[in-house]
Amino acid sequence: MADYRILHDADRCVKCGLCVAFCPCDVLEIGKEGYPVVVDAEPCVGCMTCSGNCPQRALTVEATGDAVYDPFADEPRAEPLDSKRCSEFAEYQRVIMEKLGLRWQPVAVGLIEADELLPDVPMPSENLRFCQALMAARRGASVLMPPSKHSCPDGTSIFGMTGVPEKLATGEIYVLFHKLDTAEAAAQMVAERPTLPPHSRRATYVAPLNKTVREPEVVVFTGTPEQMMWLCMSMSYYTGHRFDFHASGYNSMCVEAVLIPLRDDEPNITFGCYGCRAASDIGEDMMFMGVPTNRLPTIAKGLTELAKKAIPHSRMKIYLPPIM
């Protein structure tokens, strides 16, 4: 199992204390000589927040231990989806990607309940943020992560796998990042975001929709604003229904793309967030939409109709006056 050690270069360190202030898990404190020292390495999740905020790059976080160790190796695993359901998901993916011209595969997301068997899916050798796992899944990877494999304590607490560290609960760390003006504003943001009950889930699971071995709660799409527009219209095609989206730029993938669609049984858009964009390869022109799995038939059917005329005509700019 991957543990982490923090290496400190005293020759580069200017004793600013930012690494200690930014560590969300209180792994570090200021020593007698003013240098950061590790007081408890066990809570370290490898988030790299300390090293990323060191102005002199005096800290390095390294994974140690047995990278291939599986603490659940002796547990029975859940039976995979039956072949008929797998074929349905594969067909939804084919139709949606073809009609929209999506570059990235839609991602099936599962939040494994505390008493649920884990799917037979590999875990990463090093800890990842949930958003990083999701980005890997849109490229074709299947990733299972219990809380010990998550490098973002925000995500594990939001998904009900752990409690929330004090610096995150109070919003203190958001002020340090200059993402919010005051601790009061940060605390309000934290209070408004939905979370699952602590220790109600034991792992997150992501996979390309056409490769999922478990029924997903939510499917997350990555695309341009124009493609997200057509996704909205596909779900409105037969009803004319308008959507009330909830987006803030905070906790994008875990709250806005997954938890809100799960809670409300409604689609939700998100623009990404600081952590998602800083920790992944997502382009500046991309955004996301999470949809409850039960919307997939409507999306595929609606897009098929829209692709007959509306989508190609819009992309041809048929109302644009000719340049004289």
Side-chain angles (χ1 to χ4, degrees):
M1 184 174 180
D3 296 316
Y4 290 88
R5 64 182 177 187
I6 299 173
L7 306 179
H8 174 250
D9 185 344
D11 291 335
R12 299 177 68 94
C13 182
V14 294
K15 304 182 182 180
C16 66
L18 287 175
C19 55
V20 175
F22 273 100
C23 176
C25 300
D26 294 320
V27 172
L28 301 168
E29 69 177 28
I30 299 296
K32 293 181 180 179
E33 297 181 5
Y35 294 115
V37 295
V38 175
V39 290
D40 185 4
E42 186 175 350
C44 181
V45 294
C47 68
M48 311 295 181
T49 306
C50 60
S51 59
N53 285 279
C54 176
Q56 299 299 114
R57 295 295 186 261
L59 287 178
T60 304
V61 182
E62 292 184 350
T64 64
D66 185 355
V68 298
Y69 171 71
D70 182 356
F72 306 104
D74 296 330
E75 283 192 22
R77 295 300 175 103
E79 290 294 322
L81 284 176
D82 64 78
S83 58
K84 180 181 179 181
R85 187 60 169 157
C86 289
S87 296
E88 289 177 355
F89 284 135
E91 180 61 10
Y92 292 143
Q93 174 166 318
R94 184 195 68 79
V95 171
I96 293 169
M97 291 191 71
E98 177 186 294
K99 303 307 180 186
L100 278 184
L102 287 178
R103 176 182 180 184
W104 305 112
Q105 298 182 79
V107 176
V109 178
L111 303 179
I112 313 300
E113 296 191 20
D115 58 354
E116 181 183 346
L117 291 178
L118 297 171
D120 190 12
V121 173
M123 292 186 291
S125 58
E126 292 191 26
N127 291 17
L128 297 174
R129 297 171 184 266
F130 176 72
C131 52
Q132 291 172 322
L134 197 147
M135 299 309 164
R138 68 184 170 91
R139 292 179 176 271
S142 297
V143 185
L144 176 70
M145 296 199 306
S148 62
K149 284 295 182 181
H150 278 258
S151 64
C152 177
D154 244 350
T156 56
S157 61
I158 287 166
F159 285 142
M161 293 189 288
T162 64
V164 57
E166 183 68 15
K167 287 183 183 178
L168 297 174
T170 62
E172 172 188 342
I173 202 163
Y174 292 98
V175 179
L176 287 172
F177 272 115
H178 287 263
K179 291 193 286 185
L180 286 156
D181 181 44
T182 63
E184 290 75 18
Q188 181 65 31
M189 183 277 293
V190 171
E192 286 187 6
R193 72 188 184 193
T195 61
L196 293 174
H199 308 294
S200 64
R201 300 296 190 276
R202 65 185 304 214
T204 58
Y205 163 66
V206 292
L209 182 60
N210 66 352
K211 294 181 181 177
T212 186
V213 298
R214 179 188 181 276
E215 186 79 16
E217 282 85 12
V218 173
V219 177
V220 178
F221 294 91
T222 304
T224 64
E226 187 256 9
Q227 290 167 330
M228 298 300 105
M229 179 195 80
W230 293 116
L231 275 177
C232 287
M233 290 181 65
S234 71
M235 289 180 279
S236 299
Y237 185 79
Y238 297 98
T239 65
H241 175 65
R242 290 180 176 270
F243 297 103
D244 295 318
F245 294 133
H246 300 273
S248 68
Y250 300 98
N251 310 121
S252 166
M253 305 315 299
C254 43
V255 169
E256 296 176 354
V258 175
L259 215 54
I260 289 177
L262 175 64
R263 179 194 67 181
D264 299 343
D265 195 31
E266 291 284 347
N268 196 52
I269 60 168
T270 178
F271 308 112
C273 65
Y274 173 98
C276 166
R277 293 192 175 276
S280 77
D281 65 345
I282 191 65
E284 295 175 357
D285 57 341
M286 296 286 108
M287 61 183 296
F288 313 91
M289 180 181 291
V291 301
T293 305
N294 58 28
R295 299 296 181 103
L296 291 175
T298 300
I299 291 172
K301 188 177 178 183
L303 284 176
T304 298
E305 293 302 315
L306 290 167
K308 292 177 180 178
K309 183 176 181 179
I311 293 176
H313 278 209
S314 175
R315 291 175 175 175
M316 290 167 57
K317 311 293 185 185
I318 63 168
Y319 298 121
L320 189 67
I323 299 175
M324 303 300 293

